[in-house]
Amino acid sequence: MTDFLQLDSVTVQFGALRAVDDVSIRVREGERRAIIGPNGAGKTTLFNAITGVVAATSGQVIFAGKDVTRAPVHVRARRGMSRTFQITNLFPNLTVAENMRLAVRGLSPRKFSFFGTDALDAEETRRAGAALEISRLHTRRDAAVKELSYGEQRQLEMAMALVAQPKLLLLDEPAAGLSPAERVIVSDIIRALPRDLTLVLIEHDMDLILSLVDYVTCLNNGKLLVEAPPSEIRGNSDVQDVYLGKARHNA
Amino acid sequence: MASPAPNPAPDSTALPARDTGMSRLAMGAIALGALAFAVLPLILPTYQVSILTEVLIFAVLAMAVDILAGYTGRTPLCHGAIFGVSTYVVVYWTSQMGGSPYVGVGLGIAAATFVAAIFALLAIRTSGVYFLLLTLALGMIVWGVCLRWTSVTGGENGLRGAVRPAALADGFSFYYAVFAAVAVVAFVMWRFVRSPFGLTLRGIRDSESRMRSLGYNVPAHLFLAFTISGFFAGIAGALYAMFNDFVSPSTVGLSQSVEGLLMAITGGIGTLFGAFIGSFAIIGLENLVSLYTERWQSVLGAMFVLIMIFAPEGILGRIRSFVAQRRR
Ligand SMILES: Nc1ncnc2c1ncn2[C@@H]1O[C@H](COP(=O)(O)OP(=O)(O)OP(=O)(O)O)[C@@H](O)[C@H]1O
Ligand SMILES: [Mg+2]
């Protein structure tokens, strides 16, 4: 009933590879969900199927009560989906402020203003300022994005996804590659999110997951392996086998 | 672990100063350039004034190319054809139909915009070298039609016009009419690239996938950008009809498209007003070189290679990055 995001037997096939294989997931409104799984498990591909970057080969994506399986990316964004990218995906030649302007205006008709001023209005400026503040980038707004540190770029990824005031926020490994101090910023940002926002988070860092989410879904080889509350996920033997076991191999 | 304030301090919401206008230096340079174009005809002989007229007209074409190549990240090779469609329509309307030149200019620009919209529908889903080749092919179709449709276009012989209004018959007053028109068009284009829509185009240039996920309908924006760019190329083509009073297939030919692009690149892609420098450099060189040799195309090619090697960001782009470095 209150399922906000519902995946029904979603499969994404690349040639012979089933990157996502018959996955059904239900996320309630306001829930914070983590998706875990070893490298290549299909987590990012699942995000791409949810947001429309790749089309589901079969199955259905239902968002806020509407079937969006065939809707293009920008239509899903207008319905309230917002995401960050695992591989930083910003506008490198523009400034932080310009990146934010594009993020704020994505859902506003003002983006079709051909000769108007490029400045944001008061309300948009406040929102952009708040998102930059939360992401600790408010002193960097005139910097070109390509000159930001990696950590700052990751923070901007979050700020841009947040400022659209989405109903569903999808974060793809927001803390990967960050220093411990920068990870704190990321978990602060997530904690400061409005409680009615639905969040789906791909993350490898167990400590981060345990402290942030309500429920965990583990994928392996494109298939749904286990769903459990965070307190049980560590002890789950299947998860230990594929996920923690593999991590130990990698170490 | 302090929780962030919901309302940032007023100073942090203020817009950065450099985004509200352009730097003093840039404004000074533009004023100087405009002054040069305003004063030069007073001291130049008639023939050079006509070259300067051509420089201004082709600067508009190069700016139209820059909207796509520099701001949108799509390098077109069909703008000579779009430009030339406008020229053909203006010349045909005035000479074959005996219509008024002002109506002709309007019709020419409308025709160019229409052709650009059709090209846009076909080309916007491609990018990179595919976009380049597809637009090249589309331009070649226009050229082929102008060459073969002899009953209307005069084929290889082209059409001689009676375009220029009597009031602008002498080269001197015509120059200042073009100067005024180009100043207005350049200002409008400047506002356009600095508008929210202009920023959208730069976003598409940097990351289409991010733009889509932010809610932008990327193909729709590309369609509009292409069509608007064609509209501006059409203005240049209509001015050229008045300037040249003659049109032939070479006006819509590939070399015209290449020249427009070279001017944009030479001036500095993504700088808009670099188009004036590029147009001046290429047309100036063309006239200079043709005094000594017939091999203008080879010289043009060599010059292009040198620019790509030593100043790929173009003359204005080079100056900009030099100034930026000095400021540090
Ligand atoms: N566009 C694509 N075309 C072909 N194969 C793809 C494509 N995208 C992903 N894959 C493949 O699908 C599988 C799942 O990839 P995906 O990126 O979803 O994994 P992941 O769980 O996000 O891994 P990681 O933890 O490394 O980010 C991989 O084998 C990958 O090579
Ligand atoms: Mg991934």
Side-chain angles (χ1 to χ4, degrees), chain A residues 44 86 172-173:
Chain A
T44 298
Q86 178 175 5
D172 195 346
E173 305 202 17

Side-chain angles (χ1 to χ4, degrees), chain A residues 48-177:
Chain A
N48 287 343
I50 295 171
T51 53
V53 172
V54 300
T57 314
S58 63
Q60 280 190 315
V61 180
I62 293 160
F63 173 57
K66 288 216 172 68
D67 184 347
V68 295
T69 317
R70 299 277 155 249
V73 177
H74 67 271
V75 170
R76 301 191 205 195
R78 279 177 209 166
R79 296 249 167 89
M81 283 188 192
S82 182
R83 74 175 289 184
T84 66
F85 292 80
Q86 178 175 5
I87 298 165
T88 307
N89 188 352
L90 302 165
F91 308 113
N93 298 304
L94 305 183
T95 64
V96 170
E98 286 168 332
N99 272 257
M100 291 304 285
R101 239 175 271 162
L102 283 171
V104 169
R105 241 185 248 125
L107 304 179
S108 129
R110 275 248 307 139
K111 66 187 166 201
F112 284 110
S113 162
F114 291 126
F115 300 108
T117 161
D118 192 28
L120 298 175
D121 69 26
E123 155 66 12
E124 291 169 335
T125 307
R126 190 196 59 74
R127 264 165 54 200
L132 282 180
E133 185 104 353
I134 295 181
S135 315
R136 319 266 169 96
L137 281 173
H138 47 289
T139 60
R140 299 289 275 147
R141 62 185 74 215
D142 285 340
V145 164
K146 60 183 169 200
E147 280 154 17
L148 298 181
S149 72
Y150 178 72
E152 287 172 326
Q153 293 188 354
R154 298 305 295 172
Q155 283 152 241
L156 184 57
E157 276 273 339
M158 302 270 283
M160 286 170 72
L162 279 178
V163 78
Q165 299 182 318
K167 299 190 186 105
L168 171 66
L169 180 61
L170 302 143
L171 303 178
D172 195 346
E173 305 202 17

Side-chain angles (χ1 to χ4, degrees), chain A residues 14 17 19 38-45 86 173 204:
Chain A
F14 298 117
L17 174 76
N39 292 116
K43 307 180 294 294
T44 298
T45 306
Q86 178 175 5
E173 305 202 17
H204 288 293

Side-chain angles (χ1 to χ4, degrees), chain B residues 4-295:
Chain B
N7 280 308
D11 65 334
S12 71
T13 65
L15 282 164
R18 57 175 260 196
D19 283 335
T20 57
M22 53 173 112
S23 75
R24 279 224 187 114
L25 195 66
M27 275 202 275
I30 289 169
L32 209 66
L35 192 70
F37 276 108
V39 174
L40 271 176
L42 302 173
I43 54 174
L44 287 178
T46 322
Y47 176 64
Q48 262 87 333
V49 172
S50 103
I51 292 176
L52 215 54
T53 314
E54 210 177 343
V55 167
L56 288 178
I57 293 171
F58 276 89
V60 173
L61 174 63
M63 285 193 287
V65 170
D66 198 20
I67 286 180
L68 282 182
Y71 288 86
T72 318
R74 293 281 203 287
T75 309
L77 269 181
C78 61
H79 272 50
I82 295 171
F83 168 101
V85 162
S86 174
T87 312
Y88 262 107
V89 168
V90 176
V91 170
Y92 186 84
W93 175 258
T94 50
S95 66
Q96 310 301 114
M97 314 278 290
S100 115
Y102 300 107
V103 175
V105 165
L107 288 176
I109 295 170
T113 311
F114 178 72
V115 169
I118 307 247
F119 284 8
L121 286 177
L122 298 167
I124 50 169
R125 283 179 199 277
T126 62
S127 60
V129 72
Y130 299 102
F131 183 85
L132 195 82
L133 290 177
L134 186 53
T135 51
L136 183 149
L138 291 168
M140 294 304 277
I141 293 174
V142 171
W143 175 80
V145 168
C146 290
L147 190 66
R148 301 268 168 239
W149 197 9
T150 321
S151 58
V152 172
T153 63
E156 256 176 287
N157 298 327
L159 292 174
R160 193 151 294 284
V163 181
R164 221 187 274 183
L168 302 175
D170 77 295
F172 196 70
S173 45
F174 182 64
Y175 175 84
Y176 282 104
V178 169
F179 178 84
V182 170
V184 171
V185 170
F187 175 74
V188 169
M189 288 173 99
W190 178 75
R191 281 298 296 258
F192 173 73
V193 298
R194 315 260 313 179
S195 70
F197 189 80
L199 183 63
T200 300
L201 298 184
R202 288 187 283 151
I204 291 173
R205 178 193 65 195
D206 274 16
S207 171
E208 282 181 39
S209 56
R210 170 60 91 164
M211 287 299 277
R212 271 188 237 112
S213 81
L214 290 174
Y216 291 87
N217 183 350
V218 170
H221 288 263
L222 285 174
F223 172 78
L224 287 171
F226 198 123
T227 308
I228 289 168
S229 160
F231 167 79
F232 288 119
I235 294 179
L239 290 174
Y240 185 71
M242 289 197 175
F243 169 76
N244 212 31
D245 256 355
F246 173 71
V247 63
S248 72
S250 70
T251 308
V252 294
L254 177 60
S255 62
Q256 188 89 302
S257 298
V258 171
E259 238 176 69
L261 180 59
L262 278 187
M263 288 170 182
I265 292 176
T266 306
I269 216 88
T271 61
L272 195 67
F273 293 154
F276 286 92
I277 299 174
S279 171
F280 188 86
I282 293 205
I283 292 177
L285 200 71
E286 183 172 6
N287 281 280
L288 194 70
V289 167
S290 49
L291 293 179
Y292 303 100
T293 164
E294 303 271 283
R295 301 183 179 276

